[in-house]
Structure formats: structure tokens, C-alpha cells
Amino acid sequence: MTSSCWVPVPEDSPFPLHNLPYGVFAPAGGPPRIGVAIGDHVLDLAHALGDDDTFARPHLNPFLAQGRERWREVRARVTALLTDEAARPT
């Protein structure tokens, strides 16, 4: 897996590109939803992968119920987003 991520990740971070944990977070003024930690940041999956309303929910269970193949697909898409300079927010 490539290590060239456009998100700044501190050297000692427990969440580099090869360890992207899923979790539920609540953006300021918004409802809880699913994201993935990268460095000191959270990638909002409801926004980044807007094709599946599963990520707009306040818990991981519906995503986990989609199974291992879907998890792999999402992980690949997230990694591609985080390593593609064209996906960098302006």
C-alpha cells in the first residue's frame, strides 16, 4: 500500500494510512455519523462516499452487516481518496 497521503499525519500517530479505524463522530452542529480516523483528522464517509446512506447513520452496525467484501471495497476507496492529490479538498 502506498504511503503518500495528502492528509498531514504526525510521525507518531496511531492512525496512519495503513491503520484507518472506523468510528462514529459528530461534526460541529451536525448529527453523528461514520468516519475514519487519519492522523489527527476524521474523514467523513457520509460526505466522501455519499453513495451509501449507511455512513450517515449514528452507529456502525449497518455497515458491519454488509460483510467483509464491502469492508474491503470501502477500505480501497478510502485509501484511494487519501492518496489521490486530485481528491484533496481545496
Coordinates of all heavy atoms in Angstrom, one line a residue:
M1 N 0.9 -1.2 0.0 CA 0.0 0.0 0.0 C 0.9 1.2 0.0 O 1.9 1.3 0.7 CB -0.9 0.0 1.2 CG -1.9 1.1 1.3 SD -2.9 1.1 2.8 CE -3.7 -0.5 2.7
T2 N 0.5 2.2 -0.7 CA 1.3 3.4 -0.8 C 1.2 4.2 0.5 O 0.3 4.1 1.3 CB 0.8 4.3 -2.0 OG1 1.7 5.5 -2.0 CG2 -0.6 4.8 -1.8
S3 N 2.2 5.0 0.8 CA 2.2 5.8 2.0 C 2.2 7.3 1.7 O 2.4 8.1 2.6 CB 3.5 5.5 2.8 OG 4.6 5.8 2.1
S4 N 1.9 7.7 0.5 CA 1.8 9.1 0.2 C 0.4 9.6 0.3 O -0.4 9.7 -0.6 CB 2.3 9.4 -1.2 OG 1.6 8.6 -2.2
C5 N 0.1 10.0 1.5 CA -1.2 10.5 1.9 C -1.2 12.1 1.9 O -0.3 12.7 2.4 CB -1.6 10.0 3.3 SG -3.2 10.5 3.9
W6 N -2.2 12.7 1.4 CA -2.2 14.2 1.3 C -2.7 14.8 2.7 O -2.5 16.0 2.9 CB -3.1 14.7 0.2 CG -4.5 14.2 0.1 CD1 -4.9 13.2 -0.8 CD2 -5.6 14.6 0.8 NE1 -6.2 13.0 -0.6 CE2 -6.7 13.8 0.4 CE3 -5.9 15.6 1.8 CZ2 -8.0 14.0 0.9 CZ3 -7.1 15.7 2.3 CH2 -8.2 15.0 1.8
V7 N -3.2 14.0 3.6 CA -3.6 14.4 4.9 C -2.3 14.4 5.7 O -1.6 13.4 5.8 CB -4.6 13.5 5.6 CG1 -4.9 14.0 7.0 CG2 -5.9 13.5 4.7
P8 N -2.0 15.5 6.4 CA -0.8 15.5 7.3 C -1.0 14.5 8.5 O -2.0 14.7 9.2 CB -0.7 17.0 7.8 CG -2.0 17.6 7.6 CD -2.7 16.8 6.5
V9 N -0.1 13.6 8.6 CA -0.2 12.6 9.6 C 1.1 12.7 10.5 O 2.2 12.4 9.9 CB -0.4 11.2 9.1 CG1 -0.4 10.1 10.2 CG2 -1.6 11.1 8.2
P10 N 1.0 13.0 11.7 CA 2.2 13.0 12.6 C 2.9 11.7 12.6 O 2.3 10.6 12.5 CB 1.6 13.4 14.0 CG 0.3 14.0 13.7 CD -0.2 13.4 12.5
E11 N 4.2 11.8 12.7 CA 5.1 10.6 12.7 C 4.6 9.5 13.7 O 4.7 8.3 13.4 CB 6.5 11.0 12.9 CG 7.5 9.9 12.8 CD 8.0 9.7 11.3 OE1 7.8 10.7 10.5 OE2 8.5 8.6 11.0
D12 N 4.2 10.0 14.9 CA 3.9 9.1 15.9 C 2.4 8.8 16.0 O 1.9 8.2 17.0 CB 4.4 9.6 17.3 CG 3.8 10.9 17.6 OD1 3.2 11.6 16.7 OD2 3.9 11.4 18.8
S13 N 1.6 9.1 15.0 CA 0.2 8.9 15.0 C -0.2 7.4 15.1 O 0.4 6.6 14.3 CB -0.5 9.5 13.8 OG -1.8 9.2 13.8
P14 N -1.2 7.0 15.9 CA -1.7 5.7 15.8 C -2.6 5.4 14.6 O -3.0 4.3 14.4 CB -2.4 5.5 17.1 CG -2.9 6.9 17.5 CD -1.8 7.8 16.9
F15 N -2.9 6.5 13.8 CA -3.8 6.3 12.7 C -3.1 6.8 11.4 O -3.6 7.7 10.7 CB -5.1 7.1 13.0 CG -5.7 6.8 14.3 CD1 -5.9 7.7 15.2 CD2 -6.0 5.5 14.6 CE1 -6.5 7.4 16.4 CE2 -6.6 5.1 15.8 CZ -6.9 6.1 16.7
P16 N -2.1 6.1 10.9 CA -1.5 6.4 9.6 C -2.4 5.7 8.5 O -3.4 5.1 8.8 CB -0.1 5.8 9.7 CG -0.3 4.6 10.6 CD -1.3 5.0 11.6
L17 N -1.9 5.9 7.3 CA -2.7 5.3 6.2 C -3.0 3.8 6.3 O -4.0 3.3 5.8 CB -2.0 5.7 4.9 CG -2.7 5.4 3.6 CD1 -4.0 6.2 3.5 CD2 -1.9 5.7 2.4
H18 N -2.1 3.1 6.9 CA -2.3 1.6 6.9 C -3.1 1.2 8.2 O -3.3 0.0 8.4 CB -0.9 0.9 6.9 CG -0.1 1.1 8.1 ND1 0.8 2.2 8.1 CD2 0.1 0.5 9.2 CE1 1.4 2.2 9.3 NE2 1.0 1.1 10.0
N19 N -3.6 2.1 9.0 CA -4.4 1.8 10.1 C -5.5 2.9 10.2 O -5.4 3.9 10.9 CB -3.6 1.8 11.4 CG -4.5 1.4 12.6 OD1 -5.4 0.7 12.5 ND2 -4.1 2.0 13.8
L20 N -6.6 2.6 9.5 CA -7.7 3.6 9.3 C -8.9 3.0 10.1 O -9.8 2.4 9.5 CB -8.0 3.8 7.9 CG -6.9 4.4 7.0 CD1 -7.3 4.4 5.5 CD2 -6.5 5.8 7.5
P21 N -9.1 3.3 11.4 CA -10.2 2.8 12.1 C -11.5 3.6 11.8 O -11.5 4.8 11.7 CB -9.8 3.0 13.6 CG -8.9 4.2 13.5 CD -8.2 4.1 12.2
Y22 N -12.6 2.8 11.7 CA -13.9 3.4 11.6 C -14.4 3.8 13.0 O -14.1 3.1 14.0 CB -14.9 2.4 11.0 CG -14.5 1.9 9.6 CD1 -13.9 0.7 9.4 CD2 -14.7 2.7 8.5 CE1 -13.6 0.3 8.1 CE2 -14.4 2.3 7.2 CZ -13.8 1.1 7.0 OH -13.5 0.7 5.8
G23 N -15.3 4.8 13.0 CA -15.9 5.2 14.2 C -17.0 6.1 13.9 O -17.3 6.5 12.8
V24 N -17.7 6.5 15.0 CA -18.9 7.4 14.9 C -18.4 8.7 15.5 O -17.8 8.7 16.5 CB -20.1 6.9 15.6 CG1 -21.2 7.9 15.6 CG2 -20.6 5.6 14.9
F25 N -18.6 9.8 14.8 CA -18.3 11.1 15.3 C -19.4 12.1 15.0 O -20.3 11.7 14.2 CB -17.0 11.6 14.6 CG -17.2 12.1 13.2 CD1 -17.2 13.4 12.9 CD2 -17.5 11.2 12.1 CE1 -17.5 13.9 11.6 CE2 -17.7 11.6 10.8 CZ -17.7 13.0 10.6
A26 N -19.4 13.2 15.6 CA -20.5 14.2 15.3 C -19.8 15.5 15.0 O -19.1 16.1 15.8 CB -21.3 14.4 16.6
P27 N -19.9 16.0 13.7 CA -19.3 17.2 13.3 C -20.0 18.4 14.1 O -21.2 18.2 14.5 CB -19.5 17.3 11.8 CG -20.7 16.4 11.6 CD -20.6 15.3 12.6
A28 N -19.3 19.5 14.2 CA -19.9 20.6 14.9 C -21.3 21.0 14.2 O -21.4 21.2 13.0 CB -19.0 21.8 14.8
G29 N -22.3 20.9 15.1 CA -23.7 21.3 14.6 C -24.3 20.2 13.8 O -25.4 20.4 13.2
G30 N -23.7 19.0 13.6 CA -24.3 18.0 12.8 C -24.6 16.7 13.6 O -24.2 16.6 14.7
P31 N -25.4 15.9 13.0 CA -25.7 14.6 13.6 C -24.6 13.6 13.6 O -23.7 13.7 12.7 CB -26.9 14.1 12.8 CG -26.6 14.6 11.4 CD -26.0 16.0 11.6
P32 N -24.5 12.7 14.5 CA -23.5 11.6 14.5 C -23.6 10.8 13.2 O -24.6 10.6 12.6 CB -23.8 10.8 15.7 CG -24.8 11.5 16.5 CD -25.5 12.5 15.6
R33 N -22.4 10.4 12.7 CA -22.3 9.6 11.5 C -20.9 8.9 11.5 O -20.1 9.2 12.4 CB -22.5 10.4 10.3 CG -21.7 11.6 10.1 CD -22.1 12.4 8.9 NE -21.4 13.7 8.8 CZ -22.0 14.8 8.7 NH1 -23.3 14.9 8.8 NH2 -21.3 15.9 8.6
I34 N -20.7 8.1 10.5 CA -19.5 7.3 10.4 C -18.4 8.0 9.7 O -18.6 8.7 8.7 CB -19.8 5.9 9.7 CG1 -20.8 5.1 10.5 CG2 -18.5 5.1 9.5 CD1 -21.3 3.9 9.8
G35 N -17.2 7.9 10.3 CA -16.0 8.4 9.7 C -14.8 7.5 9.9 O -15.0 6.4 10.5
V36 N -13.7 7.9 9.4 CA -12.5 7.1 9.5 C -11.4 8.0 10.0 O -11.3 9.1 9.5 CB -12.1 6.3 8.2 CG1 -11.7 7.2 7.1 CG2 -11.0 5.3 8.5
A37 N -10.6 7.6 11.0 CA -9.6 8.4 11.6 C -8.3 8.3 10.6 O -8.0 7.3 10.2 CB -9.2 8.0 13.0
I38 N -7.7 9.5 10.4 CA -6.5 9.6 9.7 C -5.6 10.6 10.3 O -6.0 11.8 10.3 CB -6.7 9.8 8.1 CG1 -5.3 9.9 7.4 CG2 -7.5 11.0 7.9 CD1 -4.5 8.7 7.3
G39 N -4.6 10.2 11.0 CA -3.8 11.2 11.7 C -4.6 11.8 12.8 O -5.3 11.1 13.6
D40 N -4.6 13.2 12.9 CA -5.4 13.9 13.9 C -6.8 14.3 13.3 O -7.5 15.2 13.9 CB -4.7 15.1 14.3 CG -3.4 14.8 15.1 OD1 -3.4 13.7 15.7 OD2 -2.5 15.6 15.0
H41 N -7.2 13.7 12.2 CA -8.4 14.1 11.5 C -9.4 13.0 11.3 O -9.1 11.8 11.6 CB -8.0 14.6 10.1 CG -7.0 15.7 10.1 ND1 -7.3 17.0 10.3 CD2 -5.6 15.7 9.9 CE1 -6.2 17.7 10.3 NE2 -5.2 16.9 10.1
V42 N -10.6 13.3 10.9 CA -11.6 12.3 10.6 C -12.1 12.6 9.2 O -12.5 13.7 8.8 CB -12.8 12.4 11.6 CG1 -13.9 11.5 11.2 CG2 -12.3 12.1 13.0
L43 N -12.1 11.6 8.4 CA -12.7 11.7 7.0 C -14.2 11.3 7.2 O -14.5 10.1 7.6 CB -12.0 10.7 6.1 CG -12.6 10.7 4.7 CD1 -12.4 12.0 4.0 CD2 -11.9 9.6 3.8
D44 N -15.1 12.2 6.9 CA -16.5 12.0 6.9 C -16.9 11.1 5.8 O -17.0 11.5 4.6 CB -17.2 13.3 6.9 CG -18.7 13.3 7.0 OD1 -19.3 12.2 6.8 OD2 -19.3 14.3 7.2
L45 N -17.2 9.8 6.1 CA -17.6 8.9 5.0 C -19.0 9.2 4.4 O -19.2 8.9 3.2 CB -17.5 7.4 5.5 CG -16.1 7.0 5.9 CD1 -16.1 5.5 6.3 CD2 -15.1 7.2 4.8
A46 N -19.9 9.8 5.2 CA -21.2 10.1 4.6 C -21.0 11.2 3.5 O -21.7 11.2 2.5 CB -22.1 10.7 5.7
H47 N -20.0 12.0 3.7 CA -19.7 13.1 2.7 C -18.8 12.5 1.6 O -19.1 12.7 0.4 CB -19.0 14.3 3.4 CG -18.7 15.3 2.4 ND1 -19.6 16.2 1.8 CD2 -17.5 15.7 1.9 CE1 -19.0 17.0 1.0 NE2 -17.7 16.7 1.0
A48 N -17.8 11.8 1.9 CA -16.8 11.3 1.0 C -17.3 10.2 0.1 O -17.0 10.1 -1.1 CB -15.5 10.9 1.7
L49 N -18.2 9.4 0.7 CA -18.7 8.2 -0.1 C -20.2 8.3 -0.1 O -20.9 7.5 0.4 CB -18.3 6.9 0.6 CG -16.8 6.7 0.8 CD1 -16.5 5.4 1.5 CD2 -16.0 6.8 -0.5
G50 N -20.8 9.4 -0.6 CA -22.2 9.7 -0.5 C -23.1 8.8 -1.2 O -24.3 9.0 -1.2
D51 N -22.6 7.7 -1.8 CA -23.5 6.8 -2.5 C -24.1 5.7 -1.6 O -24.8 4.8 -2.1 CB -22.7 6.1 -3.6 CG -21.5 5.2 -3.1 OD1 -21.1 5.4 -1.9 OD2 -21.0 4.4 -3.8
D52 N -23.9 5.8 -0.3 CA -24.4 4.8 0.6 C -24.8 5.5 1.9 O -24.0 5.9 2.7 CB -23.3 3.7 0.9 CG -23.8 2.6 1.8 OD1 -24.9 2.7 2.4 OD2 -23.2 1.5 1.8
D53 N -26.1 5.6 2.2 CA -26.6 6.3 3.4 C -26.3 5.6 4.7 O -26.5 6.1 5.8 CB -28.1 6.6 3.3 CG -29.0 5.3 3.5 OD1 -28.4 4.2 3.4 OD2 -30.2 5.5 3.6
T54 N -25.7 4.4 4.6 CA -25.2 3.7 5.8 C -24.3 4.5 6.6 O -24.3 4.5 7.8 CB -24.5 2.4 5.4 OG1 -25.4 1.5 4.7 CG2 -23.9 1.6 6.6
F55 N -23.4 5.3 5.9 CA -22.4 6.2 6.6 C -23.0 7.4 7.3 O -22.4 8.0 8.1 CB -21.3 6.6 5.6 CG -20.6 5.4 5.0 CD1 -20.7 5.1 3.7 CD2 -20.0 4.5 5.8 CE1 -20.1 4.0 3.1 CE2 -19.3 3.4 5.3 CZ -19.4 3.1 3.9
A56 N -24.3 7.7 7.0 CA -24.9 8.9 7.6 C -25.7 8.4 8.9 O -26.3 9.3 9.5 CB -25.9 9.5 6.6
R57 N -25.5 7.2 9.3 CA -26.2 6.7 10.5 C -25.3 6.8 11.7 O -24.1 6.9 11.6 CB -26.6 5.2 10.3 CG -27.5 5.1 9.1 CD -28.0 3.7 8.9 NE -28.8 3.6 7.7 CZ -29.2 2.4 7.2 NH1 -28.9 1.3 7.8 NH2 -29.9 2.4 6.2
P58 N -25.9 6.9 12.9 CA -25.2 7.1 14.1 C -24.5 5.9 14.8 O -24.1 5.9 15.9 CB -26.2 7.7 15.0 CG -27.5 7.0 14.6 CD -27.4 6.9 13.1
H59 N -24.4 4.8 14.0 CA -23.8 3.6 14.5 C -23.2 2.7 13.4 O -23.6 2.8 12.2 CB -24.7 2.8 15.4 CG -26.1 2.6 14.8 ND1 -26.4 1.6 13.9 CD2 -27.2 3.3 15.0 CE1 -27.7 1.7 13.6 NE2 -28.2 2.8 14.2
L60 N -22.3 1.9 13.7 CA -21.5 1.1 12.7 C -22.3 -0.2 12.3 O -21.9 -0.8 11.3 CB -20.2 0.7 13.2 CG -19.1 1.8 13.3 CD1 -18.0 1.4 14.2 CD2 -18.7 2.2 11.9
N61 N -23.2 -0.7 13.1 CA -23.9 -2.0 12.8 C -24.3 -2.2 11.4 O -24.1 -3.2 10.8 CB -25.0 -2.2 13.8 CG -24.5 -2.4 15.2 OD1 -23.3 -2.3 15.5 ND2 -25.4 -2.6 16.1
P62 N -25.1 -1.2 10.7 CA -25.5 -1.5 9.4 C -24.3 -1.6 8.4 O -24.4 -2.5 7.5 CB -26.3 -0.2 9.0 CG -26.8 0.3 10.3 CD -25.7 0.0 11.3
F63 N -23.3 -0.9 8.6 CA -22.1 -1.0 7.7 C -21.4 -2.4 8.0 O -21.1 -3.1 7.0 CB -21.1 0.1 8.0 CG -19.8 -0.1 7.3 CD1 -19.7 -0.2 5.9 CD2 -18.6 -0.2 8.0 CE1 -18.5 -0.4 5.2 CE2 -17.4 -0.3 7.3 CZ -17.3 -0.5 6.0
L64 N -21.3 -2.8 9.2 CA -20.6 -4.1 9.5 C -21.5 -5.2 9.0 O -20.9 -6.2 8.6 CB -20.4 -4.2 11.0 CG -19.5 -3.2 11.7 CD1 -19.4 -3.4 13.2 CD2 -18.1 -3.3 11.0
A65 N -22.8 -5.1 9.0 CA -23.7 -6.1 8.4 C -23.5 -6.3 6.9 O -23.9 -7.4 6.4 CB -25.1 -5.8 8.8
Q66 N -22.9 -5.4 6.2 CA -22.7 -5.5 4.8 C -21.6 -6.5 4.4 O -21.6 -7.0 3.3 CB -22.3 -4.2 4.2 CG -23.5 -3.2 4.2 CD -23.1 -1.8 3.7 OE1 -22.0 -1.5 3.4 NE2 -24.1 -1.0 3.4
G67 N -20.8 -6.9 5.4 CA -19.9 -8.0 5.2 C -18.5 -7.6 4.7 O -18.2 -6.5 4.3
R68 N -17.6 -8.6 4.8 CA -16.2 -8.5 4.5 C -15.9 -7.9 3.1 O -15.0 -7.1 3.0 CB -15.5 -9.8 4.7 CG -14.0 -9.7 4.8 CD -13.4 -11.0 5.3 NE -13.8 -11.4 6.6 CZ -13.2 -11.0 7.7 NH1 -12.3 -10.1 7.7 NH2 -13.6 -11.5 8.9
E69 N -16.6 -8.3 2.1 CA -16.3 -7.8 0.8 C -16.6 -6.3 0.7 O -15.8 -5.6 0.1 CB -17.1 -8.6 -0.3 CG -16.7 -8.3 -1.7 CD -15.3 -8.5 -2.0 OE1 -14.7 -9.5 -1.5 OE2 -14.7 -7.7 -2.8
R70 N -17.7 -5.9 1.3 CA -18.0 -4.4 1.3 C -16.9 -3.7 2.1 O -16.5 -2.6 1.7 CB -19.4 -4.2 1.9 CG -19.8 -2.8 2.0 CD -19.9 -2.1 0.6 NE -20.5 -0.7 0.9 CZ -20.2 0.3 0.1 NH1 -19.4 0.1 -1.0 NH2 -20.7 1.5 0.4
W71 N -16.5 -4.2 3.2 CA -15.5 -3.6 4.0 C -14.2 -3.4 3.2 O -13.6 -2.3 3.2 CB -15.1 -4.4 5.2 CG -16.2 -4.8 6.1 CD1 -17.5 -4.2 6.2 CD2 -16.2 -5.8 7.1 NE1 -18.2 -4.9 7.1 CE2 -17.5 -5.9 7.7 CE3 -15.3 -6.7 7.5 CZ2 -17.8 -6.8 8.7 CZ3 -15.6 -7.6 8.5 CH2 -16.9 -7.7 9.1
R72 N -13.8 -4.4 2.4 CA -12.6 -4.3 1.6 C -12.8 -3.2 0.5 O -11.9 -2.4 0.2 CB -12.3 -5.6 0.9 CG -11.7 -6.6 1.8 CD -11.2 -7.9 1.0 NE -11.0 -8.9 1.9 CZ -11.7 -10.0 2.0 NH1 -12.8 -10.2 1.3 NH2 -11.4 -10.9 2.9
E73 N -14.0 -3.2 -0.1 CA -14.3 -2.2 -1.1 C -14.2 -0.8 -0.6 O -13.6 0.1 -1.2 CB -15.7 -2.4 -1.7 CG -16.2 -1.4 -2.7 CD -17.6 -1.6 -3.0 OE1 -18.1 -2.7 -3.2 OE2 -18.3 -0.5 -3.1
V74 N -14.8 -0.6 0.6 CA -14.8 0.8 1.2 C -13.3 1.2 1.6 O -12.9 2.3 1.3 CB -15.7 0.8 2.4 CG1 -15.5 2.1 3.2 CG2 -17.2 0.7 2.0
R75 N -12.6 0.2 2.2 CA -11.2 0.5 2.5 C -10.4 0.9 1.3 O -9.6 1.8 1.4 CB -10.6 -0.8 3.2 CG -9.2 -0.6 3.6 CD -8.9 0.3 4.8 NE -9.8 -0.1 5.9 CZ -9.8 0.4 7.1 NH1 -8.9 1.3 7.4 NH2 -10.7 0.0 8.0
A76 N -10.6 0.2 0.2 CA -9.9 0.5 -1.0 C -10.3 1.9 -1.5 O -9.4 2.7 -1.9 CB -10.1 -0.5 -2.1
R77 N -11.5 2.3 -1.5 CA -12.0 3.6 -1.9 C -11.4 4.7 -1.0 O -11.0 5.8 -1.5 CB -13.5 3.7 -1.9 CG -14.1 2.9 -3.1 CD -15.6 3.0 -3.1 NE -16.0 4.3 -3.4 CZ -17.3 4.7 -3.2 NH1 -18.2 3.9 -2.8 NH2 -17.6 5.9 -3.5
V78 N -11.4 4.5 0.3 CA -10.9 5.5 1.3 C -9.4 5.7 1.0 O -8.9 6.8 1.0 CB -11.2 5.0 2.7 CG1 -10.4 5.9 3.7 CG2 -12.7 5.1 3.0
T79 N -8.7 4.6 0.9 CA -7.2 4.7 0.6 C -7.0 5.4 -0.7 O -6.1 6.3 -0.7 CB -6.6 3.3 0.6 OG1 -6.8 2.6 1.9 CG2 -5.1 3.4 0.4
A80 N -7.7 5.1 -1.7 CA -7.6 5.8 -3.0 C -7.8 7.3 -2.8 O -7.1 8.2 -3.3 CB -8.5 5.2 -4.0
L81 N -8.9 7.7 -2.1 CA -9.2 9.1 -1.8 C -8.0 9.8 -1.1 O -7.7 10.9 -1.4 CB -10.5 9.3 -1.0 CG -11.8 9.1 -1.8 CD1 -12.9 9.1 -0.8 CD2 -12.0 10.3 -2.7
L82 N -7.5 9.1 -0.1 CA -6.5 9.8 0.7 C -5.1 9.8 0.0 O -4.2 10.5 0.5 CB -6.4 9.0 2.0 CG -7.6 9.1 3.0 CD1 -7.5 8.2 4.2 CD2 -7.8 10.6 3.4
T83 N -4.9 9.1 -1.0 CA -3.6 9.1 -1.7 C -3.7 9.8 -3.1 O -2.7 10.0 -3.8 CB -3.1 7.7 -1.9 OG1 -4.1 6.9 -2.6 CG2 -2.8 7.1 -0.6
D84 N -4.9 10.3 -3.5 CA -5.1 10.9 -4.8 C -5.1 12.5 -4.6 O -6.0 13.0 -4.0 CB -6.4 10.5 -5.4 CG -6.7 11.1 -6.7 OD1 -5.9 11.9 -7.2 OD2 -7.7 10.8 -7.3
E85 N -4.1 13.1 -5.0 CA -4.0 14.6 -4.9 C -5.2 15.3 -5.5 O -5.6 16.3 -5.0 CB -2.7 15.1 -5.5 CG -1.5 15.1 -4.7 CD -1.5 16.0 -3.4 OE1 -2.1 17.1 -3.5 OE2 -1.0 15.5 -2.4
A86 N -5.8 14.7 -6.5 CA -7.0 15.3 -7.1 C -8.2 15.3 -6.1 O -9.1 16.1 -6.2 CB -7.4 14.6 -8.4
A87 N -8.2 14.4 -5.1 CA -9.2 14.3 -4.1 C -9.0 15.3 -2.9 O -9.9 15.5 -2.1 CB -9.4 12.9 -3.6
R88 N -7.9 15.9 -2.9 CA -7.6 16.9 -1.8 C -8.6 18.0 -1.8 O -8.8 18.6 -2.8 CB -6.2 17.4 -1.9 CG -5.8 18.4 -0.9 CD -4.5 19.2 -1.2 NE -3.3 18.3 -1.1 CZ -2.5 18.4 -0.1 NH1 -2.7 19.2 0.9 NH2 -1.4 17.6 -0.1
P89 N -9.2 18.3 -0.6 CA -10.1 19.4 -0.6 C -9.4 20.7 -0.8 O -8.2 20.9 -0.5 CB -10.7 19.4 0.8 CG -10.2 18.1 1.4 CD -9.1 17.6 0.6
T90 N -10.0 21.7 -1.4 CA -9.4 23.0 -1.7 C -9.6 23.9 -0.5 O -10.5 23.7 0.3 CB -9.9 23.6 -3.0 OG1 -11.3 23.7 -2.9 CG2 -9.4 22.8 -4.2

